Amino acid sequence: MNILISGAGVAGPALAHWLRRHGFNPTIVETAPALRDGGHAVDFRGKAHLSVLRQMGVLDEIRRNQTGMGAMSYVSATGKKISSMPADLFAGDVEILRGDLSRVLFDATDAEYLFGDTITGLAEDAHGVTVTFERAPVRRFDLVIGADGLHSTVRALAFGPETDYVRHLGVHCAAFPLDNYLGLDHTGLAYRPPGKLVAIYSARHNTEARAMFLFGSPPLAYDRRDVMQQKKILAEAFEGVGWETSRALAAMWDAPDFYFDSVAQVRMDRWSRGRVALLGDAAYSPCLLSGMGSGLAVVGAYVLAGELAAAGGDHRVAFPRYEEAMREYAGGAQKSGEGVSRMVVPQGRLMTAFLNQYMRLMPYLPGKQMIADSARRTAEAITLKEYR
Ligand SMILES: Cc1cc2nc3c(=O)[nH]c(=O)nc-3n(C[C@H](O)[C@H](O)[C@H](O)COP(=O)(O)OP(=O)(O)OC[C@H]3O[C@@H](n4cnc5c(N)ncnc54)[C@H](O)[C@@H]3O)c2cc1C
């Protein structure tokens, strides 16, 4: 069976890996001209995430590329340390830059890749789907899977407009690389003015640094392909907020990659329609602050490919089983993502002062492990079947 996957992020290559192992023939179409390198560090935690990565044979490579981050310190506008957050309170079992993860998963696939292209039309009949592309000629596939992220084109074509499914959680996020001019050694600094957060942390074993910006805002109207416009939005939002912000923003204009998106979730009643199904952020984004998006994507890929194999390729059986296996699990990650996004960028001076104080005390509080434990419980709340 020929299966077309839209999106070579995390979910797409993970699915292609499993489909190939189960004897299917995957093709991936990716709108970017090459693998996208941007983003922050992403976490995997708990038995389910690690077990899927181990079975894929990529866990060791992910460990070799892990960030190895230590504590994150919160600082005042003048750079004075206010508090320090040990890595084990927030980080998962293994943390890796999203771009590095995407590369490791890409290397683990044996699939046809069509870079720099996108699906423009899907016409389904009893025997398959006729797919039209922006550049490639029309082709037939047995099934089409949308693993094309928060702003999925497959979702728009098969289920309807993004506004019906994407819930903005009141925060926007940006990330880009810069020189490690602060000399950070497997560590990071964060500054939290009201309604905003700026963090700079060392990456790729101190050879570079990453800047992360979060700011509270209503949904913003901008062109997702217009990076310059997004950079201007960020520069305006952070003008004059103090600490290292203006220096980091000065580096932004020449940064080799720039990631900008809203912190948002995808909520859908169903993830498949006929021969088309959705996977990862396209179907159930828990939001990028949840720390669960990549874990959900790899577990979802394992389950979707496994159910297709178990059903002998019959999507009418496999797609509902995939939804049934993943629905509650994804819901748990979304619940936790909603809570985190409310906490990370509090509005108003009072809430910000409270949170800064709480962060200062947290490493010494008796219940400090509760947050890490609760994230782990959410990540482990699925029993994985063995698909042979
Ligand atoms: C550049 C980038 C940086 C990110 N940084 C972070 C981060 O720092 N922290 C975090 O928690 N999450 C980040 N994410 C999201 C995170 O990767 C996902 O939440 C998670 O890994 C689930 O992966 P996914 O494969 O479902 O979606 P994604 O990783 O978003 O991958 C979707 C892929 O589909 C491609 N695509 C989009 N539209 C089309 C189309 N029309 N046709 C073909 N391909 C298309 C995209 O270019 C992308 O490669 C980032 C995503 C991207 C794309």
Side-chain angles (χ1 to χ4, degrees):
M1 282 178 76
N2 295 315
I3 302 183
L4 176 66
I5 301 166
S6 176
V10 173
L15 179 67
H17 171 98
W18 285 109
L19 287 177
R20 175 66 73 197
R21 273 174 66 169
H22 290 303
F24 299 101
N25 186 26
T27 296
I28 298 191
V29 55
E30 164 61 48
T31 187
L35 274 190
R36 299 179 64 182
D37 190 36
H40 308 292
V42 294
D43 293 310
F44 292 104
R45 47 168 65 80
K47 285 183 213 136
H49 296 179
L50 297 188
S51 150
V52 171
L53 296 173
R54 192 175 294 112
Q55 290 181 64
M56 289 177 74
V58 296
L59 186 55
D60 288 344
E61 192 54 22
I62 288 177
R63 287 208 165 112
R64 268 192 287 281
N65 286 281
Q66 68 183 317
T67 60
M69 278 292 281
M72 186 88 175
S73 297
Y74 283 81
V75 296
S76 70
T78 56
K80 187 166 168 270
K81 280 195 186 165
I82 302 171
S83 61
S84 181
M85 201 56 57
D88 55 350
L89 279 193
F90 286 106
D93 294 317
V94 56
E95 185 183 72
I96 178 169
L97 285 186
R98 185 213 169 267
D100 293 344
L101 171 66
S102 192
R103 167 72 51 192
V104 170
L105 295 176
F106 171 80
D107 288 344
T109 54
D110 170 14
E112 178 195 12
Y113 276 85
L114 307 171
F115 280 105
D117 209 347
T118 179
I119 298 172
T120 53
L122 300 169
E124 181 174 335
D125 56 50
H127 306 289
V129 188
T130 302
V131 181
T132 45
F133 297 91
E134 203 168 78
R135 294 176 48 200
V138 175
R139 275 170 74 171
R140 290 275 294 171
F141 291 91
D142 294 289
L143 302 173
V144 175
I145 310 295
D148 41 4
L150 191 58
H151 309 289
S152 168
T153 295
V154 171
R155 189 185 57 224
L157 289 170
F159 295 85
E162 180 165 319
T163 43
D164 289 354
Y165 305 111
V166 175
R167 281 179 54 200
H168 174 62
L169 297 185
V171 179
H172 278 79
C173 171
F176 55 87
L178 70 173
D179 285 345
N180 184 8
Y181 71 92
L182 291 168
L184 299 167
D185 180 6
H186 294 94
T187 185
L189 300 172
Y191 167 54
R192 195 200 303 274
K196 299 184 169 63
L197 186 134
V198 186
I200 302 178
Y201 54 93
S202 62
R204 293 185 173 139
H205 304 295
N206 306 333
T207 56
E208 59 175 85
R210 294 265 154 165
M212 175 178 88
F213 290 75
L214 297 171
F215 62 104
S217 81
L220 296 172
Y222 62 91
D223 180 347
R224 275 202 309 280
R225 284 158 306 178
D226 187 345
V227 172
M228 192 47 82
Q229 189 192 11
Q230 295 161 26
K231 287 181 174 177
K232 282 182 186 156
I233 292 173
L234 192 69
E236 263 170 41
F238 283 85
E239 199 184 338
V241 304
W243 187 55
E244 295 291 329
T245 311
S246 55
R247 190 155 174 194
L249 286 175
M252 167 183 78
W253 303 106
D254 297 324
D257 64 64
F258 181 77
Y259 171 66
F260 186 86
D261 214 333
S262 81
V263 174
Q265 295 192 330
V266 175
R267 301 278 180 129
M268 304 183 77
D269 291 339
R270 47 190 303 199
W271 301 330
S272 67
R273 179 162 286 168
R275 292 175 175 270
V276 179
L278 301 174
L279 171 70
D281 275 9
Y284 35 78
S285 165
C287 92
L288 59 85
L289 295 176
S290 68
M292 299 281 178
S294 299
L296 267 187
V298 296
V299 170
Y302 171 86
V303 174
L304 177 54
E307 292 296 349
L308 274 168
D314 186 345
H315 62 281
R316 292 162 303 183
V317 176
F319 287 170
R321 283 192 186 151
Y322 154 65
E323 291 204 27
E324 198 184 312
M326 288 294 294
R327 179 64 64 180
E328 226 177 287
Y329 186 53
Q334 293 195 315
K335 204 166 151 212
S336 115
E338 235 176 330
V340 176
S341 55
R342 262 198 302 271
M343 283 278 290
V344 170
V345 189
Q347 299 298 312
R349 282 182 191 284
L350 212 64
M351 267 312 282
T352 307
F354 169 78
L355 198 70
N356 281 340
Q357 183 68 356
Y358 178 68
M359 290 291 202
R360 198 162 69 81
L361 296 174
M362 200 164 134
Y364 311 102
L365 295 175
K368 65 179 183 190
Q369 208 45 45
M370 265 168 50
I371 293 179
D373 290 348
S374 128
R376 179 173 299 278
R377 269 198 306 278
T378 305
E380 290 188 339
I382 187 166
T383 307
L384 294 177
K385 282 193 221 166
E386 272 188 42
Y387 301 102
R388 292 195 185 277

